[in-house]
Amino acid sequence: MKIAAAYIRVSTDDQIEYSPESQIKAIRDYAKRNDYILPDEYIFMDEGISGKTAGKRPAFMKMIGTAKTKPKPFDAILLWKFSRFARNREDSIVYKSMLRKQLGIEVISISESLGDDKMSVLIEAMIEAMDEYYSINLAEEVKRGMTEKAKRGEPLSIPPFGYKMENKQLIPVKEESDIIKQVFEWYDNGVGMLRIAKNLNAAGVRTHRGSLIENRTVEYWLNNPAYIGKIRWTPTGATSRNYHNDNSMIADGSHEPLIDIETWERVQKRMKEQKEKYRKWYKPTETISHWLVGLLHCGKCGGPLVNCNGYLYCNNRSKGTCIGNGGIKATTVEEHIISQLEGFLDGRISINAPEQKKQSINTSIYDTQLKRAENRMKRIKEAYENGVDTLEEYRENKQKIQREINNIVAEMQKEQHKEFNPETAIQKLKDKIRKSISALKDDTVSAKEKNTLAREFIADIIKTGEDGREFNIMYRL
């Protein structure tokens, strides 16, 4: 007798004819009639899970992993219908081909019996195509159902800040709703979004996910019609902060509003005026807007400094999540950096070469290579734990990546401990700076060219000091 495995999947609890018990009973009866042994440990079941993608079905992936063990654990996989195996033709082709051609394991639908002839292959493909059509059509039906719910004013997503969900109804949360009212009041009285975000962060306010409040968080709140008792729904998908998307629909909700309509309309008017006011300052920039971008970092939070209309700001501060110093004029920063470079060349400024070398190595390409290898190590472990890879495959992949990690570490240590002559290193560094300094001071040289030149001898620049006007240059040695 041959050994079989069984795969059972149900998407919802109300599919009585496809319930787990119904599928298992029918498969056991088929196995008995066709001389298959069906051990309990080879019954794999995914409940309440869509068949659209295989990767999101843990029992399915465990079954595939088990099938790849040696010696071959079973001769066939029994299904109630082919639609239980996959509703995505790509998954179906990949996994069936692997099972049949590489592992010698048949995939059998007990209610759609097919032979091995060419016509059976064609019929099976037609069945799979109909299953995929059903899946796509089901997604459209779900979207249509959600649109109808939106029209009735029923909530469709997680509750926004200021509310909680009870019995499918949005209920105000006192502490949070007071914050939302304060946000609207502040903005209505002329306080900017960035200042509001900073005020809230300073008060310890966090989002439902525990994140800091950013200015875009405030913008989202100010544009959310839920706070005036409405429900917004966009059937076409995410709006990418386009709060006035033509595809969005807004309907009256059944929940209690937090903001009166007069305040809402004043706030909407002010936001529109602010956008129009500052739109004229927006100018498309070249690939690199300033040659120091990418080299400068905030000493408070480590965030990159970005160029905004000739001023360099911490990118995190612009979101309201950094309490560091404000922006500084880009030309002022240039003067500081050029002055330090010239001071280093003429001997007015000295550096600790061994320390500079150490820091330069720590921020080199080795860290990136190690991180990538470690991420791959995590992925192969997950593949083994989910049953996708066998123990032998996991062990082989792990050894391969570990060798790669060992090589990276060895190269890094070799770089750190190789013979280092501070005097020679400083002389080479000065030669590089001398070749580039005139170009860095030349207004006709593009920002991209200057950035490329600067990266030859600058590893990083940290903006420090009480007033944020000191710059610590980390050189490449």
Side-chain angles (χ1 to χ4, degrees):
M1 293 183 73
K2 296 176 288 186
I3 298 175
Y7 179 66
I8 292 96
R9 179 181 64 80
V10 288
S11 297
T12 58
D13 293 330
D14 59 357
Q15 290 179 304
I16 303 301
E17 66 168 310
Y18 299 140
S19 68
E21 294 76 15
S22 300
Q23 292 184 45
I24 291 172
K25 184 178 184 304
I27 288 172
R28 285 194 183 281
D29 290 344
Y30 177 92
K32 187 175 181 179
R33 292 196 308 271
N34 292 272
D35 296 325
Y36 280 106
I37 298 173
L38 181 59
D40 289 341
E41 63 266 28
Y42 291 157
I43 297 177
F44 303 91
M45 185 187 307
D46 282 314
E47 292 191 67
I49 297 177
S50 166
K52 194 171 183 181
T53 55
K56 294 182 179 180
R57 292 184 279 156
F60 180 89
M61 299 311 293
K62 183 178 180 181
M63 176 183 70
I64 296 299
T66 303
K68 292 164 70 176
T69 59
K70 295 179 182 179
K72 182 172 68 174
F74 40 77
D75 301 287
I77 295 174
L78 306 180
L79 315 163
W80 165 247
K81 285 188 174 182
F82 285 121
S83 63
R84 303 299 91 193
F85 188 79
R87 281 215 179 102
N88 176 299
R89 275 178 291 175
E90 183 178 352
D91 278 350
S92 181
I93 291 169
V94 168
Y95 288 107
K96 283 184 181 177
S97 177
M98 180 194 71
L99 289 164
R100 288 170 174 167
K101 295 180 181 179
Q102 297 180 23
L103 305 177
I105 298 173
E106 286 298 314
V107 179
I108 300 171
S109 167
I110 66 169
S111 61
E112 301 159 322
S113 298
L114 299 171
D116 296 325
D117 57 284
K118 291 184 287 186
M119 183 58 69
S120 295
V121 174
L122 178 61
I123 293 172
E124 184 176 339
M126 290 174 63
I127 291 171
E128 289 174 350
M130 289 301 295
D131 288 336
E132 186 168 6
Y133 168 79
Y134 172 81
S135 182
I136 295 170
N137 187 61
L138 180 61
E140 292 176 351
E141 290 297 326
V142 169
K143 186 183 293 184
R144 188 176 297 113
M146 292 182 74
T147 300
E148 290 302 317
K149 285 184 67 177
K151 289 179 179 178
R152 295 194 298 267
E154 298 178 27
L156 301 171
S157 61
I158 60 174
F161 190 87
Y163 291 98
K164 63 180 178 180
M165 190 80 75
E166 285 186 4
N167 299 321
K168 299 182 180 180
Q169 178 74 28
L170 294 177
I171 306 296
V173 176
K174 176 97 173 42
E175 297 80 6
E176 293 182 3
S177 60
D178 287 345
I179 291 169
I180 291 297
K181 292 173 183 177
Q182 180 67 75
V183 167
F184 273 83
E185 182 181 338
W186 273 334
Y187 192 81
D188 191 24
N189 290 326
V191 182
M193 295 180 191
L194 180 58
R195 173 48 56 194
I196 293 173
K198 289 183 176 180
N199 290 345
L200 296 176
N201 287 327
V205 177
R206 298 294 181 265
T207 68
H208 280 168
R209 295 183 178 180
S211 304
L212 289 168
I213 308 299
E214 299 183 9
N215 55 347
R216 61 181 178 179
T217 311
V218 176
E219 181 187 21
Y220 176 75
W221 288 346
L222 295 174
N223 279 283
N224 193 343
Y227 299 128
I228 54 171
K230 305 285 186 180
I231 294 294
R232 178 172 56 203
W233 163 243
T234 307
T236 53
T239 60
S240 300
R241 296 174 66 189
N242 177 9
Y243 303 114
H244 305 287
N245 192 313
D246 291 338
N247 295 310
S248 296
M249 57 174 289
I250 296 178
D252 291 332
S254 57
H255 60 281
E256 177 187 338
L258 303 182
I259 306 300
D260 62 81
I261 193 65
E262 292 79 12
T263 302
W264 170 267
E265 289 178 350
R266 288 197 304 270
V267 164
Q268 302 308 304
K269 181 181 178 182
R270 180 168 182 251
M271 282 194 292
K272 183 177 180 181
E273 289 173 348
Q274 291 293 99
K275 281 194 174 182
E276 291 299 325
K277 179 180 178 181
Y278 292 106
R279 191 183 300 278
K280 63 182 179 181
W281 297 107
Y282 171 76
K283 295 179 182 177
T285 59
E286 56 181 297
T287 306
I288 297 177
S289 60
H290 193 278
W291 68 271
L292 287 169
V293 170
L295 292 171
L296 274 167
H297 289 85
C298 173
K300 293 286 185 181
C301 70
L305 267 64
V306 295
N307 180 28
C308 181
N309 298 320
Y311 283 80
L312 295 168
Y313 294 89
C314 172
N315 191 48
N316 291 336
R317 187 178 185 277
S318 67
K319 297 176 181 178
T321 57
C322 175
I323 59 172
N325 295 301
I328 183 170
K329 208 169 184 178
T331 52
T332 302
V333 181
E334 283 186 76
E335 291 171 3
H336 278 280
I337 301 305
I338 296 296
S339 176
Q340 285 194 50
L341 294 176
E342 291 177 334
F344 173 58
L345 289 177
D346 63 25
R348 287 181 290 112
I349 298 175
S350 61
I351 65 171
N352 185 331
E355 182 63 24
Q356 289 273 341
K357 177 67 174 177
K358 179 182 176 183
Q359 294 294 335
S360 179
I361 291 173
N362 286 340
T363 57
S364 70
I365 192 65
Y366 295 116
D367 291 321
T368 303
Q369 292 175 342
L370 274 176
K371 194 169 184 179
R372 288 174 179 168
E374 288 165 356
N375 286 337
R376 282 179 18 236
M377 187 72 84
K378 289 179 183 177
R379 288 198 293 271
I380 65 163
K381 184 179 180 182
E382 290 173 357
Y384 169 65
E385 289 175 343
N386 291 327
V388 179
D389 286 348
T390 63
L391 180 60
E392 290 78 12
E393 289 171 323
Y394 171 58
R395 185 182 293 117
E396 182 181 345
N397 289 331
K398 182 180 179 181
Q399 290 173 348
K400 180 179 177 182
I401 297 174
Q402 190 59 56
R403 285 195 297 270
E404 183 180 335
I405 290 174
N406 293 340
N407 289 336
I408 295 170
V409 172
E411 286 296 319
M412 184 164 62
Q413 291 176 341
K414 181 180 176 182
E415 180 70 21
Q416 288 174 326
H417 296 100
K418 74 179 183 181
E419 187 176 344
F420 177 66
N421 187 318
E423 292 182 2
T424 302
I426 287 178
Q427 188 55 52
K428 288 182 179 179
L429 174 62
K430 286 185 174 181
D431 290 342
K432 289 180 181 179
I433 295 174
R434 284 193 184 95
K435 290 179 181 178
S436 305
I437 192 91
S438 58
L440 296 180
K441 296 162 67 176
D442 189 345
D443 292 338
T444 64
V445 179
S446 72
K448 186 175 182 179
E449 290 174 305
K450 289 182 179 182
N451 185 270
T452 302
L453 289 171
R455 287 181 181 275
E456 287 293 315
F457 53 87
I458 296 178
D460 201 3
I461 304 173
I462 306 297
K463 176 175 174 281
T464 61
E466 291 299 322
D467 60 355
R469 290 176 177 269
E470 294 179 21
F471 301 91
N472 182 20
I473 302 177
M474 192 59 58
Y475 293 102
R476 295 187 186 277
L477 292 174

